[in-house]
PDB file of all heavy atoms in Angstrom:
ATOM      1  N   ALA A   3      15.596  12.548 -15.867  1.00  0.00           N
ATOM      2  CA  ALA A   3      15.637  13.261 -14.609  1.00  0.00           C
ATOM      3  C   ALA A   3      16.656  12.698 -13.631  1.00  0.00           C
ATOM      4  O   ALA A   3      16.992  13.424 -12.660  1.00  0.00           O
ATOM      5  CB  ALA A   3      14.290  13.242 -13.953  1.00  0.00           C
ATOM      6  N   ALA A   4      17.159  11.498 -13.861  1.00  0.00           N
ATOM      7  CA  ALA A   4      18.215  10.991 -13.013  1.00  0.00           C
ATOM      8  C   ALA A   4      19.558  11.483 -13.415  1.00  0.00           C
ATOM      9  O   ALA A   4      20.513  11.417 -12.641  1.00  0.00           O
ATOM     10  CB  ALA A   4      18.199   9.414 -13.081  1.00  0.00           C
ATOM     11  N   ARG A   5      19.695  12.061 -14.606  1.00  0.00           N
ATOM     12  CA  ARG A   5      20.992  12.478 -15.111  1.00  0.00           C
ATOM     13  C   ARG A   5      21.413  13.788 -14.503  1.00  0.00           C
ATOM     14  O   ARG A   5      20.609  14.569 -13.959  1.00  0.00           O
ATOM     15  CB  ARG A   5      20.913  12.581 -16.669  1.00  0.00           C
ATOM     16  CG  ARG A   5      20.655  11.283 -17.372  1.00  0.00           C
ATOM     17  CD  ARG A   5      20.951  11.352 -18.829  1.00  0.00           C
ATOM     18  NE  ARG A   5      22.358  11.536 -19.107  1.00  0.00           N
ATOM     19  CZ  ARG A   5      22.916  11.550 -20.288  1.00  0.00           C
ATOM     20  NH1 ARG A   5      22.134  11.325 -21.346  1.00  0.00           N
ATOM     21  NH2 ARG A   5      24.213  11.716 -20.484  1.00  0.00           N
ATOM     22  N   ALA A   6      22.718  14.076 -14.644  1.00  0.00           N
ATOM     23  CA  ALA A   6      23.291  15.348 -14.172  1.00  0.00           C
ATOM     24  C   ALA A   6      23.237  16.400 -15.250  1.00  0.00           C
ATOM     25  O   ALA A   6      22.968  16.084 -16.451  1.00  0.00           O
ATOM     26  CB  ALA A   6      24.726  15.111 -13.699  1.00  0.00           C
ATOM     27  N   ASP A   7      23.496  17.623 -14.897  1.00  0.00           N
ATOM     28  CA  ASP A   7      23.746  18.730 -15.808  1.00  0.00           C
ATOM     29  C   ASP A   7      22.498  19.274 -16.493  1.00  0.00           C
ATOM     30  O   ASP A   7      22.168  20.462 -16.301  1.00  0.00           O
ATOM     31  CB  ASP A   7      24.816  18.366 -16.847  1.00  0.00           C
ATOM     32  CG  ASP A   7      26.153  18.100 -16.201  1.00  0.00           C
ATOM     33  OD1 ASP A   7      26.536  18.837 -15.226  1.00  0.00           O
ATOM     34  OD2 ASP A   7      26.857  17.206 -16.629  1.00  0.00           O
ATOM     35  N   SER A   8      21.884  18.541 -17.365  1.00  0.00           N
ATOM     36  CA  SER A   8      20.745  19.080 -18.097  1.00  0.00           C
ATOM     37  C   SER A   8      19.518  19.281 -17.156  1.00  0.00           C
ATOM     38  O   SER A   8      19.467  18.706 -16.082  1.00  0.00           O
ATOM     39  CB  SER A   8      20.303  18.151 -19.246  1.00  0.00           C
ATOM     40  OG  SER A   8      19.974  16.870 -18.748  1.00  0.00           O
ATOM     41  N   THR A   9      18.624  20.141 -17.588  1.00  0.00           N
ATOM     42  CA  THR A   9      17.425  20.490 -16.777  1.00  0.00           C
ATOM     43  C   THR A   9      16.195  19.809 -17.412  1.00  0.00           C
ATOM     44  O   THR A   9      15.797  20.174 -18.493  1.00  0.00           O
ATOM     45  CB  THR A   9      17.219  22.008 -16.704  1.00  0.00           C
ATOM     46  OG1 THR A   9      18.377  22.630 -16.194  1.00  0.00           O
ATOM     47  CG2 THR A   9      16.035  22.330 -15.819  1.00  0.00           C
ATOM     48  N   PRO A  10      15.629  18.808 -16.702  1.00  0.00           N
ATOM     49  CA  PRO A  10      14.508  18.086 -17.315  1.00  0.00           C
ATOM     50  C   PRO A  10      13.154  18.779 -17.096  1.00  0.00           C
ATOM     51  O   PRO A  10      12.880  19.368 -16.078  1.00  0.00           O
ATOM     52  CB  PRO A  10      14.514  16.724 -16.586  1.00  0.00           C
ATOM     53  CG  PRO A  10      15.192  17.034 -15.275  1.00  0.00           C
ATOM     54  CD  PRO A  10      16.110  18.226 -15.492  1.00  0.00           C
ATOM     55  N   LEU A  11      12.331  18.671 -18.133  1.00  0.00           N
ATOM     56  CA  LEU A  11      10.982  19.299 -18.099  1.00  0.00           C
ATOM     57  C   LEU A  11       9.948  18.193 -18.279  1.00  0.00           C
ATOM     58  O   LEU A  11      10.016  17.422 -19.213  1.00  0.00           O
ATOM     59  CB  LEU A  11      10.819  20.338 -19.192  1.00  0.00           C
ATOM     60  CG  LEU A  11       9.465  20.987 -19.365  1.00  0.00           C
ATOM     61  CD1 LEU A  11       9.622  22.480 -19.734  1.00  0.00           C
ATOM     62  CD2 LEU A  11       8.636  20.327 -20.432  1.00  0.00           C
ATOM     63  N   TYR A  12       8.975  18.099 -17.340  1.00  0.00           N
ATOM     64  CA  TYR A  12       7.930  17.107 -17.367  1.00  0.00           C
ATOM     65  C   TYR A  12       6.695  17.749 -17.951  1.00  0.00           C
ATOM     66  O   TYR A  12       6.105  18.658 -17.328  1.00  0.00           O
ATOM     67  CB  TYR A  12       7.582  16.525 -15.977  1.00  0.00           C
ATOM     68  CG  TYR A  12       6.624  15.367 -16.029  1.00  0.00           C
ATOM     69  CD1 TYR A  12       7.072  14.094 -16.036  1.00  0.00           C
ATOM     70  CD2 TYR A  12       5.256  15.624 -16.102  1.00  0.00           C
ATOM     71  CE1 TYR A  12       6.174  13.017 -16.122  1.00  0.00           C
ATOM     72  CE2 TYR A  12       4.359  14.588 -16.149  1.00  0.00           C
ATOM     73  CZ  TYR A  12       4.832  13.278 -16.168  1.00  0.00           C
ATOM     74  OH  TYR A  12       3.926  12.223 -16.266  1.00  0.00           O
ATOM     75  N   PHE A  13       6.231  17.251 -19.109  1.00  0.00           N
ATOM     76  CA  PHE A  13       5.021  17.763 -19.738  1.00  0.00           C
ATOM     77  C   PHE A  13       3.780  17.108 -19.186  1.00  0.00           C
ATOM     78  O   PHE A  13       3.663  15.856 -19.191  1.00  0.00           O
ATOM     79  CB  PHE A  13       5.109  17.572 -21.271  1.00  0.00           C
ATOM     80  CG  PHE A  13       3.818  17.793 -21.957  1.00  0.00           C
ATOM     81  CD1 PHE A  13       3.246  19.065 -22.092  1.00  0.00           C
ATOM     82  CD2 PHE A  13       3.127  16.676 -22.558  1.00  0.00           C
ATOM     83  CE1 PHE A  13       2.048  19.241 -22.755  1.00  0.00           C
ATOM     84  CE2 PHE A  13       1.933  16.891 -23.191  1.00  0.00           C
ATOM     85  CZ  PHE A  13       1.359  18.155 -23.297  1.00  0.00           C
ATOM     86  N   ASN A  14       2.800  17.890 -18.687  1.00  0.00           N
ATOM     87  CA  ASN A  14       1.592  17.367 -18.140  1.00  0.00           C
ATOM     88  C   ASN A  14       0.538  17.278 -19.273  1.00  0.00           C
ATOM     89  O   ASN A  14       0.081  18.299 -19.768  1.00  0.00           O
ATOM     90  CB  ASN A  14       1.069  18.221 -17.001  1.00  0.00           C
ATOM     91  CG  ASN A  14      -0.244  17.775 -16.443  1.00  0.00           C
ATOM     92  OD1 ASN A  14      -1.168  18.577 -16.302  1.00  0.00           O
ATOM     93  ND2 ASN A  14      -0.362  16.494 -16.168  1.00  0.00           N
ATOM     94  N   ARG A  15       0.149  16.032 -19.617  1.00  0.00           N
ATOM     95  CA  ARG A  15      -0.860  15.823 -20.627  1.00  0.00           C
ATOM     96  C   ARG A  15      -2.256  16.254 -20.071  1.00  0.00           C
ATOM     97  O   ARG A  15      -2.445  16.311 -18.916  1.00  0.00           O
ATOM     98  CB  ARG A  15      -0.930  14.360 -20.995  1.00  0.00           C
ATOM     99  CG  ARG A  15       0.264  13.857 -21.790  1.00  0.00           C
ATOM    100  CD  ARG A  15       0.100  12.397 -22.181  1.00  0.00           C
ATOM    101  NE  ARG A  15       1.025  11.950 -23.172  1.00  0.00           N
ATOM    102  CZ  ARG A  15       0.905  10.827 -23.868  1.00  0.00           C
ATOM    103  NH1 ARG A  15      -0.092  10.020 -23.647  1.00  0.00           N
ATOM    104  NH2 ARG A  15       1.829  10.529 -24.781  1.00  0.00           N
ATOM    105  N   THR A  16      -3.175  16.499 -21.023  1.00  0.00           N
ATOM    106  CA  THR A  16      -4.494  16.814 -20.601  1.00  0.00           C
ATOM    107  C   THR A  16      -5.203  15.638 -19.917  1.00  0.00           C
ATOM    108  O   THR A  16      -4.843  14.473 -20.201  1.00  0.00           O
ATOM    109  CB  THR A  16      -5.384  17.275 -21.796  1.00  0.00           C
ATOM    110  OG1 THR A  16      -5.331  16.259 -22.818  1.00  0.00           O
ATOM    111  CG2 THR A  16      -4.825  18.558 -22.368  1.00  0.00           C
ATOM    112  N   ALA A  17      -6.187  15.931 -19.088  1.00  0.00           N
ATOM    113  CA  ALA A  17      -6.827  14.859 -18.343  1.00  0.00           C
ATOM    114  C   ALA A  17      -7.801  14.087 -19.312  1.00  0.00           C
ATOM    115  O   ALA A  17      -8.241  14.600 -20.356  1.00  0.00           O
ATOM    116  CB  ALA A  17      -7.646  15.407 -17.194  1.00  0.00           C
ATOM    117  N   GLY A  18      -8.115  12.885 -18.929  1.00  0.00           N
ATOM    118  CA  GLY A  18      -9.066  12.092 -19.765  1.00  0.00           C
ATOM    119  C   GLY A  18      -8.314  11.062 -20.617  1.00  0.00           C
ATOM    120  O   GLY A  18      -7.129  11.072 -20.700  1.00  0.00           O
ATOM    121  N   ARG A  19      -9.067  10.227 -21.246  1.00  0.00           N
ATOM    122  CA  ARG A  19      -8.485   9.135 -22.012  1.00  0.00           C
ATOM    123  C   ARG A  19      -8.138   9.553 -23.412  1.00  0.00           C
ATOM    124  O   ARG A  19      -7.385   8.871 -24.105  1.00  0.00           O
ATOM    125  CB  ARG A  19      -9.450   7.959 -22.020  1.00  0.00           C
ATOM    126  CG  ARG A  19      -9.713   7.371 -20.627  1.00  0.00           C
ATOM    127  CD  ARG A  19     -10.675   6.192 -20.720  1.00  0.00           C
ATOM    128  NE  ARG A  19     -10.930   5.613 -19.416  1.00  0.00           N
ATOM    129  CZ  ARG A  19     -11.781   4.607 -19.178  1.00  0.00           C
ATOM    130  NH1 ARG A  19     -12.436   4.102 -20.218  1.00  0.00           N
ATOM    131  NH2 ARG A  19     -11.936   4.140 -17.957  1.00  0.00           N
ATOM    132  N   LYS A  20      -8.663  10.600 -23.922  1.00  0.00           N
ATOM    133  CA  LYS A  20      -8.437  10.990 -25.285  1.00  0.00           C
ATOM    134  C   LYS A  20      -7.522  12.193 -25.390  1.00  0.00           C
ATOM    135  O   LYS A  20      -7.469  12.998 -24.531  1.00  0.00           O
ATOM    136  CB  LYS A  20      -9.787  11.298 -25.979  1.00  0.00           C
ATOM    137  CG  LYS A  20     -10.770  10.129 -26.064  1.00  0.00           C
ATOM    138  CD  LYS A  20     -12.067  10.545 -26.796  1.00  0.00           C
ATOM    139  CE  LYS A  20     -13.039   9.379 -26.919  1.00  0.00           C
ATOM    140  NZ  LYS A  20     -14.281   9.762 -27.562  1.00  0.00           N
ATOM    141  N   LYS A  21      -6.836  12.237 -26.510  1.00  0.00           N
ATOM    142  CA  LYS A  21      -5.962  13.410 -26.796  1.00  0.00           C
ATOM    143  C   LYS A  21      -6.764  14.682 -26.693  1.00  0.00           C
ATOM    144  O   LYS A  21      -7.812  14.817 -27.290  1.00  0.00           O
ATOM    145  CB  LYS A  21      -5.311  13.225 -28.131  1.00  0.00           C
ATOM    146  CG  LYS A  21      -4.493  14.414 -28.631  1.00  0.00           C
ATOM    147  CD  LYS A  21      -3.943  14.164 -30.023  1.00  0.00           C
ATOM    148  CE  LYS A  21      -3.297  15.432 -30.602  1.00  0.00           C
ATOM    149  NZ  LYS A  21      -2.904  15.285 -31.979  1.00  0.00           N
ATOM    150  N   LEU A  22      -6.225  15.693 -26.001  1.00  0.00           N
ATOM    151  CA  LEU A  22      -6.782  17.030 -25.906  1.00  0.00           C
ATOM    152  C   LEU A  22      -8.186  17.083 -25.343  1.00  0.00           C
ATOM    153  O   LEU A  22      -9.019  17.937 -25.715  1.00  0.00           O
ATOM    154  CB  LEU A  22      -6.756  17.702 -27.317  1.00  0.00           C
ATOM    155  CG  LEU A  22      -5.364  17.844 -27.934  1.00  0.00           C
ATOM    156  CD1 LEU A  22      -5.496  18.442 -29.353  1.00  0.00           C
ATOM    157  CD2 LEU A  22      -4.445  18.696 -27.082  1.00  0.00           C
ATOM    158  N   GLN A  23      -8.481  16.156 -24.457  1.00  0.00           N
ATOM    159  CA  GLN A  23      -9.785  16.191 -23.791  1.00  0.00           C
ATOM    160  C   GLN A  23      -9.772  17.184 -22.643  1.00  0.00           C
ATOM    161  O   GLN A  23      -8.798  17.280 -21.920  1.00  0.00           O
ATOM    162  CB  GLN A  23     -10.098  14.767 -23.227  1.00  0.00           C
ATOM    163  CG  GLN A  23     -11.519  14.652 -22.728  1.00  0.00           C
ATOM    164  CD  GLN A  23     -11.815  13.180 -22.379  1.00  0.00           C
ATOM    165  OE1 GLN A  23     -10.879  12.380 -22.223  1.00  0.00           O
ATOM    166  NE2 GLN A  23     -13.073  12.824 -22.225  1.00  0.00           N
ATOM    167  N   GLY A  24     -10.830  17.956 -22.494  1.00  0.00           N
ATOM    168  CA  GLY A  24     -10.915  18.907 -21.397  1.00  0.00           C
ATOM    169  C   GLY A  24     -10.884  20.335 -21.922  1.00  0.00           C
ATOM    170  O   GLY A  24     -10.997  20.643 -23.093  1.00  0.00           O
ATOM    171  N   ASN A  25     -10.732  21.255 -20.940  1.00  0.00           N
ATOM    172  CA  ASN A  25     -10.741  22.695 -21.255  1.00  0.00           C
ATOM    173  C   ASN A  25      -9.420  23.355 -20.873  1.00  0.00           C
ATOM    174  O   ASN A  25      -8.761  22.964 -19.900  1.00  0.00           O
ATOM    175  CB  ASN A  25     -11.859  23.365 -20.477  1.00  0.00           C
ATOM    176  CG  ASN A  25     -13.233  22.905 -20.929  1.00  0.00           C
ATOM    177  OD1 ASN A  25     -13.523  22.847 -22.109  1.00  0.00           O
ATOM    178  ND2 ASN A  25     -14.073  22.550 -19.958  1.00  0.00           N
ATOM    179  N   ILE A  26      -9.060  24.444 -21.610  1.00  0.00           N
ATOM    180  CA  ILE A  26      -7.949  25.269 -21.259  1.00  0.00           C
ATOM    181  C   ILE A  26      -8.225  25.870 -19.876  1.00  0.00           C
ATOM    182  O   ILE A  26      -9.361  26.352 -19.645  1.00  0.00           O
ATOM    183  CB  ILE A  26      -7.684  26.367 -22.278  1.00  0.00           C
ATOM    184  CG1 ILE A  26      -7.357  25.736 -23.675  1.00  0.00           C
ATOM    185  CG2 ILE A  26      -6.568  27.304 -21.870  1.00  0.00           C
ATOM    186  CD1 ILE A  26      -7.224  26.748 -24.745  1.00  0.00           C
ATOM    187  N   GLY A  27      -7.273  25.813 -19.020  1.00  0.00           N
ATOM    188  CA  GLY A  27      -7.460  26.313 -17.674  1.00  0.00           C
ATOM    189  C   GLY A  27      -7.473  25.187 -16.632  1.00  0.00           C
ATOM    190  O   GLY A  27      -7.060  25.396 -15.476  1.00  0.00           O
ATOM    191  N   ASP A  28      -7.910  23.988 -17.021  1.00  0.00           N
ATOM    192  CA  ASP A  28      -7.949  22.867 -16.133  1.00  0.00           C
ATOM    193  C   ASP A  28      -6.588  22.245 -15.976  1.00  0.00           C
ATOM    194  O   ASP A  28      -5.791  22.273 -16.882  1.00  0.00           O
ATOM    195  CB  ASP A  28      -8.938  21.806 -16.638  1.00  0.00           C
ATOM    196  CG  ASP A  28     -10.377  22.304 -16.688  1.00  0.00           C
ATOM    197  OD1 ASP A  28     -10.681  23.299 -16.000  1.00  0.00           O
ATOM    198  OD2 ASP A  28     -11.166  21.706 -17.426  1.00  0.00           O
ATOM    199  N   ALA A  29      -6.389  21.570 -14.813  1.00  0.00           N
ATOM    200  CA  ALA A  29      -5.210  20.743 -14.697  1.00  0.00           C
ATOM    201  C   ALA A  29      -5.282  19.549 -15.578  1.00  0.00           C
ATOM    202  O   ALA A  29      -6.379  19.117 -15.963  1.00  0.00           O
ATOM    203  CB  ALA A  29      -5.024  20.272 -13.213  1.00  0.00           C
TER     204      ALA A  29
END
């Protein structure tokens, strides 16, 4: 994100300590 030209995308992981924890629709 500090670099020029390219467009950076930040992926928001699901909440909680485990992979894929939570429900679709939640932040």
